[in-house]
């Protein structure tokens, strides 16, 4: 279905969805009071429907006026909820979401579509490296892999050594992990297994959970590290659906793969005005879960900044192609200028990939620090056997490159190989130290 027809089909479902939701969820009953929900199918009236933020959801869940265990968000009887997942909680108290059996089937269907687009087939042997049971990248991902009929090897939550051994023994050909995990696990394989990662059978690497996989320097690192012939970036959001975007074999950006269940809009994050899905358009993704029963979200502000990199693809899929540029939550301010930590990472990896180990992070003085008026402390891991003393003028060259490309001053500090922990889920590019 052409993209505009798909969006029209989705809009045709919005009025009935909102009318029903206002009857089921106390939170949305208050929120939609006075909103002309019966006309919500028209783009102009839809624009009058209020946005929902993560803070709104958290507050609604904490100040429950009902006995429902998911608070005022809950739109069904507790007995109908068959699973609870939590948002990853990188920004404080987690928000809990529920799934009914119908919701679970919808997730399974759409997340399977994401993984199919990313290259998983019935004969794939798939290592799922997520190990946290409450996150949506756990069970729902496992469910979707099985939905395709592929062989699921859920090895998350174990040591790197055990996971590498399992992957070797079972001849895993597809790896699902975060971008940083996929990047750095390959490097650790030889240490723990005695065999370099490219001698294992992994040929498709599916990575998401954080921006980065769209960067050619990082893709190349993953490709050569694993000897992979396919890198597929994927993206989802626990609060909405854990898998909604995936790269097709063309690899030129991510397609939207959850159209049967999720309505996605692009907006100007400053004004909230809709932004058309046109090449080079930029904006924040806003999601509405128009089939969700247990805990629906309406016009949910994802804080993910997308760039439309194409609107036609030789693979035949009709959705726009996007890259995720960064998250508002991660955005820092250097002397009144906005800067995404991922932009610094990309500059450094792009120019110095052969001279550094890979992992790096910005150090904040305290958790709430967003503003930097002095050079930003940037910790960079050196390759094995290389000491800070032998790094010569590398620090200065990195600082100059970042300054020239981003007009941001960083102060490089070198760390020994292995000093920066590899994140299993949402590896942070900043930390408090
Ligand atoms: Zn495509």
């Amino acid at each position: 279905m052409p993209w505009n027809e798909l969006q029209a089909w989705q809009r045709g479902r919005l009025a009935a969805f909102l009318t029903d939701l206002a009857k089921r969820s106390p939170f949305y009953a208050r929120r939609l009071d006075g909103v002309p929900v019966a006309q919500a199918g028209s783009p102009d009236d839809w624009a009058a429907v209020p946005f929902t933020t993560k803070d709104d959801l958290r507050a609604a869940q904490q100040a429950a006026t009902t006995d429902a265990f998911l608070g005022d968000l809950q739109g069904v009887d507790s007995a109908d909820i068959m699973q609870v997942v939590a948002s990853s909680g990188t920004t404080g108290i987690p928000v809990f979401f529920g799934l009914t059996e119908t919701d679970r089937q919808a997730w399974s269907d759409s997340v399977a579509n994401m993984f199919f687009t990313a290259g998983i087939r019935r004969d794939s042997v798939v290592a799922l490296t997520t190990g946290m049971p409450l996150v949506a990248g756990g069970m729902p991902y496992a469910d979707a892999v099985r939905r395709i009929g592929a062989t699921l090897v859920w090895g998350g939550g174990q040591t790197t050594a055990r996971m590498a051994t399992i992957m070797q023994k079972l001849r895993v050909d597809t790896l699902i992990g975060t971008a940083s995990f996929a990047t750095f696990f390959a490097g650790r394989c030889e240490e723990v297994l005695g065999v370099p990662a490219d001698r294992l059978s992994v040929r498709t690497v599916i990575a998401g959970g954080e921006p980065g996989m769209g960067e050619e320097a990082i893709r190349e690192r993953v490709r050569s590290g694993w000897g992979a012939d396919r890198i597929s970036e994927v993206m989802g959001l626990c609060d909405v659906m854990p898998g909604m975007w995936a790269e097709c074999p063309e690899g030129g950006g991510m397609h939207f793969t959850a159209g049967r269940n999720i309505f996605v809009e692009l907006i100007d994050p400053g004004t909230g005005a809709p932004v058309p899905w046109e090449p080079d358009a930029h904006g924040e993704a806003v999601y509405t879960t128009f089939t969700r029963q247990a805990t629906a979200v309406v016009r949910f502000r994802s804080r993910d900044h997308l760039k439309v990199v194409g609107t036609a693809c030789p693979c035949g899929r009709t959705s726009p192609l996007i890259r995720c540029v960064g998250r508002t939550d991660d955005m820092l301010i250097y002397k009144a200028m906005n800067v995404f930590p991922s932009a610094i990472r990309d500059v450094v990896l792009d120019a110095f990939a052969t001279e550094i180990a890979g992992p790096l992070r910005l150090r904040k003085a305290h958790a709430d620090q967003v503003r930097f008026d002095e050079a930003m402390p940037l910790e960079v891991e050196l390759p094995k056997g290389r000491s800070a003393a032998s790094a010569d003028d590398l620090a200065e060259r990195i600082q100059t490159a970042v300054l020239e490309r981003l007009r941001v001053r960083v102060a490089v500090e070198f760390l020994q190989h292995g000093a920066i922990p590899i994140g299993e889920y949402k590896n942070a590019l900043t930390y408090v130290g």
Side-chain angles (χ1 to χ4, degrees):
M1 194 183 274
W3 180 245
N4 54 5
E5 285 180 29
L6 173 71
Q7 291 229 304
W9 175 83
Q10 293 171 329
R11 284 187 189 280
R13 270 143 187 79
L14 296 174
F17 162 66
L18 291 189
T19 306
D20 180 49
L21 181 63
K23 290 180 198 145
R24 298 189 287 114
S25 154
F27 171 70
Y28 281 108
R30 292 193 296 272
R31 203 138 254 251
L32 297 171
D33 189 26
V35 176
V37 292
Q39 284 91 53
S42 96
D44 286 345
D45 288 309
W46 178 251
V49 175
F51 292 116
T52 310
T53 67
K54 181 99 147 205
D55 286 341
D56 294 335
L57 299 179
R58 190 177 287 122
Q61 197 149 70
Q62 294 212 286
T65 61
T66 72
D67 290 338
F69 58 75
L70 296 176
D72 288 5
L73 297 180
Q74 189 171 318
V76 294
D77 285 345
S78 295
D80 291 330
I81 294 176
M82 63 177 303
Q83 191 184 346
V84 170
V85 295
S87 67
S88 59
T90 47
T91 52
I93 305 154
V95 180
F96 296 100
F97 300 94
L99 297 169
T100 64
E101 171 57 18
T102 305
D103 292 335
R104 189 196 65 76
Q105 285 177 18
W107 274 29
S108 181
D109 179 74
S110 280
V111 180
N113 190 24
M114 174 186 82
F115 282 138
F116 187 88
T117 303
I120 295 181
R121 293 294 180 273
R122 199 173 167 276
D123 59 358
S124 305
V125 182
V126 183
L128 175 61
T129 62
T130 333
M132 297 158 81
L134 261 181
V135 304
M139 185 75 142
Y141 269 25
D143 216 15
V145 170
R146 293 191 303 188
R147 172 70 182 267
I148 294 172
T151 306
L152 172 70
V153 181
W154 194 356
Q158 314 200 50
T159 63
T160 312
R162 260 192 86 77
M163 193 124 64
T165 308
I166 292 167
M167 286 168 60
Q168 183 185 35
K169 171 96 182 142
L170 297 175
R171 294 193 286 281
V172 162
D173 57 32
T174 305
L175 173 78
I176 302 174
T178 61
S180 46
F181 188 87
T183 313
F184 303 122
F185 183 39
R188 302 260 161 105
C189 250
E190 183 155 18
E191 290 165 36
V192 299
L193 208 59
V195 176
D198 61 3
R199 297 251 308 274
L200 301 183
S201 315
V202 174
R203 294 298 169 262
T204 299
V205 176
I206 299 175
E210 60 205 352
M213 264 304 148
E215 277 300 309
E216 195 43 50
I218 298 177
R219 293 173 83 84
E220 186 44 42
R221 201 185 172 92
V222 173
R223 202 179 284 126
S224 62
W226 289 102
D229 46 34
R230 176 132 181 224
I231 309 290
S232 301
E233 185 179 25
V234 295
M235 186 169 80
L237 209 58
C238 195
D239 321 63
V240 180
M241 177 176 283
M244 295 187 281
W245 299 88
E247 274 183 282
C248 68
E250 303 291 330
M254 288 184 278
H255 287 288
F256 191 63
T257 50
R260 203 178 291 181
N261 296 295
I262 310 289
F263 176 57
V264 57
E265 304 169 76
L266 201 60
I267 63 154
D268 178 317
T271 65
V275 174
W277 295 98
E278 287 165 359
D280 294 325
H282 273 264
E284 180 182 339
V286 168
Y287 299 103
T288 298
T289 59
F290 62 87
T291 63
R292 190 71 171 271
Q293 294 179 332
T295 45
V297 293
V298 176
R299 303 198 87 197
F300 180 75
R301 299 282 300 252
S302 67
R303 320 311 269 175
D304 284 328
H305 285 240
L306 310 187
K307 180 184 182 199
V308 179
V309 294
T311 49
C313 186
C315 78
R317 289 177 181 82
T318 56
S319 94
L321 289 160
I322 61 100
R323 291 283 185 209
C324 182
V325 189
R327 287 182 59 75
T328 323
D329 297 344
D330 300 333
M331 203 162 67
L332 302 174
I333 300 168
Y334 174 76
K335 295 194 174 175
M337 237 173 14
N338 292 339
V339 54
F340 286 111
S342 54
I344 296 175
R345 188 251 335 260
D346 294 345
V347 168
V348 176
L349 282 185
D350 193 32
F352 304 97
T354 57
E355 296 183 77
I356 61 175
L360 45 87
R361 60 188 183 183
L362 289 162
R363 190 175 62 238
K364 295 179 172 188
H366 50 86
D368 299 333
Q369 183 178 12
V370 171
R371 197 169 289 281
F372 289 81
D373 293 316
E374 309 291 325
M376 305 167 86
L378 177 67
E379 298 182 343
V380 177
E381 212 177 272
L382 286 168
K384 207 173 182 179
R386 192 166 185 194
S387 69
S390 69
D392 310 318
D393 60 343
L394 180 58
E396 208 175 305
R397 285 187 289 127
I398 292 174
Q399 286 161 194
T400 306
V402 174
L403 185 63
E404 281 175 357
R405 297 262 297 271
L406 303 173
R407 291 185 296 141
V408 168
R409 209 171 276 284
V410 293
V412 170
E413 297 166 23
F414 290 118
L415 299 179
Q416 288 196 338
H417 182 64
I420 298 177
I422 296 178
E424 181 181 73
Y425 194 74
K426 293 219 185 254
N427 195 41
L429 286 172
T430 59
Y431 87 112
V432 181

